[in-house]
Amino acid sequence: MAKILLAEDDDNVREFVSRALLHAGHEVVQAEDGGIASEIVIAERGRFDLLLSDIKMPVMDGIALALAVAASHPDLTIVLMTGFADQRERAHGLEQLIYDVIPKPFTLSALMEKVDDALAGRPVEIVSLASQAGPN
């Protein structure tokens, strides 16, 4: 299957997502923050099929990571995750660099569908931020 770099600072989320990806047959390399993920990308010379990264992380956030990775490895598919509406807003304008942003909390099926779509290069389904935000 695919080789995926997972950058997520929350241990529980990282383990949950990693187990799901492994169960689906993917190879997963984990990083606790964007700085470590950036070092891994450099060491591996960008040889990943997908970068799946949280946006809000210490050391280097997911947006800075996406910018750095896209500059050196423009063919690497990038999917960001966040539970913060303001972080989703920050990701707008990066459409040329990232595949999509997954809002947290997410279901396992929604995550896997987005990963499969990103790996297959399927067009992103347009969903308004208002519908992602849920009830007030």
Side-chain angles (χ1 to χ4, degrees):
M1 290 294 255
K3 184 174 180 181
I4 299 173
L5 176 57
L6 172 61
E8 168 63 63
D9 62 317
D10 183 305
D11 295 339
N12 293 324
V13 174
R14 190 174 61 251
E15 285 304 315
F16 171 75
V17 171
S18 179
R19 279 195 307 269
L21 294 169
L22 288 167
H23 183 72
H26 300 295
E27 178 182 347
V28 180
V29 176
Q30 297 182 35
E32 299 83 36
D33 63 58
I36 293 170
S38 179
E39 292 173 5
I40 292 170
V41 170
I42 292 167
E44 293 285 326
R45 296 187 179 122
R47 286 179 262 187
F48 290 96
D49 300 298
L50 178 70
L51 167 60
L52 180 59
S53 177
D54 190 16
I55 292 179
K56 193 169 185 171
M57 296 184 292
V59 181
M60 175 187 279
D61 71 15
I63 291 176
L65 175 61
L67 291 169
V69 167
S72 58
H73 303 284
D75 295 332
L76 180 55
T77 302
I78 301 169
V79 174
L80 299 177
M81 308 175 286
T82 189
F84 300 94
D86 64 321
Q87 298 301 318
R88 281 196 301 271
E89 289 295 326
R90 284 185 58 220
H92 282 311
L94 298 179
E95 289 86 3
Q96 300 301 318
L97 304 178
I98 65 169
Y99 178 78
D100 204 1
V101 179
I102 302 172
K104 291 180 182 178
F106 48 75
T107 63
L108 183 57
S109 63
L111 170 72
M112 297 311 295
E113 182 178 346
K114 188 61 69 179
V115 166
D116 290 345
D117 287 349
L119 289 169
R122 292 185 194 101
V124 176
E125 181 180 322
I126 308 282
V127 179
S128 73
L129 288 179
S131 67
Q132 290 179 359
N136 291 333

